[in-house]
Amino acid sequence: MGVPPEPDDDLYVRLKAFEGRPAVTGGTGKDPVNGPMIRHWCEAIGDENPAYQGPDAIAPPTMLQAWTMGGLSGHGHGNRRSHGHGRPGRSSAYDALFALLDEAGCTSVVATDCEQEYLRPLRPGDRITFDAVIESVSPRKTTKLGTGYFVTTRMDVRADGELAGTHRFRILKYASAEGRRTPVRAHSHTRPQPHPHPHPRPVINRDNAGFWAGVAERKLLIQRCTHCATLRFPWLPGCNHCGGDGWDTVEATGHGTVFSYVVMHHPPFPAFDPPYAVGLIELAEGVRMVAGVVGVPPEKVRVGMPVRLEFRTVEEDLVLPVFDGRQA
Ligand code: ZN
């Protein structure tokens, strides 16, 4: 089970044999490079560079991959009809590589990074073709996520047949370290524990450490700018109002109202029992924070409902602020 621990890695040898084999063949852009797509992209990104506007516009180089994407309908009949090519797709070699990794227990996947190289600008009217190769497979690596292999594919994007850019995309296919810590129990006769899955932990960093130190002492601390006295939440290194970086704290009274809320039914998350309500709570001091709403059935939660702060010991070493709808 899982990635074999032997130092001589037979799997790696088999994976490495895929280097240089095709990942995608015969790809054709669904649309030629065109002004409307460039304009939508620039509006979405907020890029007002004049090079991407007007009659001599070029496409933003970072759009490279966009021209190769199949969209919601995928690379299907449209391609064949307009260009007479077969549909591009993942090659059998790429599928075989994935199958090999899956069989070895590396069933999880995460995209790690992407590199692009631009060789010539793309202009409206350029017709896009592309293919991709399995460029490299790394030796077995152990990361915080688990142990597995980095697989890099390189897509070559051509405009009217001329290489315009390359897009390298790297993933990690791995056996989850999380999965090994809490293995799935196959014995149906054993009683399942109510919560075998740990509650997600807050990410504590230099900016918010003071807040969580307060929570540990059962105090809800709001940051206050020492220059202009503006209160702020969540915790930040500087003041959004005056830009000042000095701050102290005030302790919240714990009174608040539900400013907005959601009742979570889906997706299921192992550490939680749906349905449950998560509120955006407006504190009496004026700032808002996201927290669980407890004490009343989730369907009874309403905008404007008064709530009262409570500290809940979720796990032995995890205290979280929640808001109780009964105690207001
Ligand atoms: Zn300020």
Side-chain angles (χ1 to χ4, degrees):
M1 178 188 151
V3 177
E6 295 82 19
D8 57 324
D9 188 348
D10 291 339
L11 177 59
Y12 175 55
V13 175
R14 294 169 68 197
L15 295 171
K16 202 153 173 64
F18 284 89
E19 288 184 353
R21 296 188 61 187
V24 174
T25 51
T28 302
K30 291 190 94 169
D31 298 289
V33 176
N34 65 85
M37 279 175 68
I38 294 171
R39 181 171 60 79
H40 286 297
W41 171 283
C42 289
E43 285 182 3
I45 301 287
D47 191 333
E48 295 173 356
N49 189 322
Y52 311 142
Q53 300 169 16
D56 298 321
I58 60 167
T62 48
M63 278 188 82
L64 185 70
Q65 193 196 9
W67 306 112
T68 70
M69 288 177 161
L72 287 177
S73 54
H75 281 292
H77 307 297
N79 261 333
R80 263 195 295 275
R81 192 170 61 233
S82 52
H83 305 295
H85 295 163
R87 60 186 295 174
R90 254 162 72 149
S91 69
S92 55
Y94 200 70
D95 286 340
L97 174 69
F98 262 59
L100 204 53
L101 285 160
D102 285 339
E103 283 164 25
C106 297
T107 52
S108 299
V109 64
V110 62
T112 60
D113 61 291
C114 154
E115 293 165 37
Q116 294 187 333
E117 188 178 7
Y118 312 117
L119 301 169
R120 80 136 168 95
L122 294 175
R123 293 195 159 77
D126 284 339
R127 301 235 161 231
I128 299 296
T129 53
F130 58 94
D131 45 56
V133 296
I134 301 163
E135 191 172 66
S136 63
V137 182
S138 79
R140 188 172 59 219
K141 303 271 188 187
T142 296
T143 72
K144 281 186 181 173
L145 289 172
T147 296
Y149 300 82
F150 289 93
V151 177
T152 306
T153 52
R154 189 195 72 239
M155 181 186 282
D156 294 326
V157 181
R158 294 183 173 78
D160 294 332
E162 183 189 351
L163 190 61
T166 62
H167 171 77
R168 279 188 178 79
F169 191 65
R170 191 167 295 115
I171 59 164
L172 174 66
K173 273 285 275 177
Y174 65 99
S176 169
E178 185 76 24
R180 281 199 300 277
R181 268 207 304 279
T182 52
V184 176
R185 303 277 174 217
H187 307 288
S188 56
H189 58 271
T190 56
R191 278 177 85 95
Q193 294 299 307
H195 269 308
H197 299 279
H199 195 286
R201 303 272 143 170
V203 176
I204 300 176
N205 55 39
R206 280 182 295 178
D207 293 334
N208 67 13
F211 171 76
W212 290 106
V215 169
E217 296 175 14
R218 290 174 159 66
K219 291 177 183 172
L220 188 71
L221 299 179
I222 304 167
Q223 258 182 325
R224 176 173 55 191
C225 176
T226 49
H227 305 273
C228 74
T230 300
L231 298 179
R232 62 177 187 260
F233 195 94
W235 283 40
L236 292 167
C239 175
N240 276 337
H241 183 68
C242 75
D245 60 0
W247 55 269
D248 60 8
T249 60
V250 294
E251 184 180 347
T253 60
H255 294 280
T257 53
V258 174
F259 184 82
S260 182
Y261 69 97
V262 291
V263 177
M264 294 297 294
H265 295 268
H266 199 81
F269 192 85
F272 296 94
D273 284 322
Y276 55 94
V278 178
L280 179 61
I281 307 301
E282 186 162 273
L283 299 178
E285 289 78 13
V287 296
R288 295 175 194 151
M289 68 176 291
V290 173
V293 180
V294 301
V296 291
E299 69 273 13
K300 299 285 187 196
V301 175
R302 291 290 179 271
V303 168
M305 188 174 85
V307 287
R308 184 77 185 268
L309 173 67
E310 177 189 310
F311 288 97
R312 182 161 280 193
T313 303
V314 178
E315 282 167 17
E316 200 179 340
D317 58 345
L318 180 63
V319 174
L320 292 177
V322 295
F323 286 86
D324 193 317
R326 284 169 310 188
Q327 301 177 3

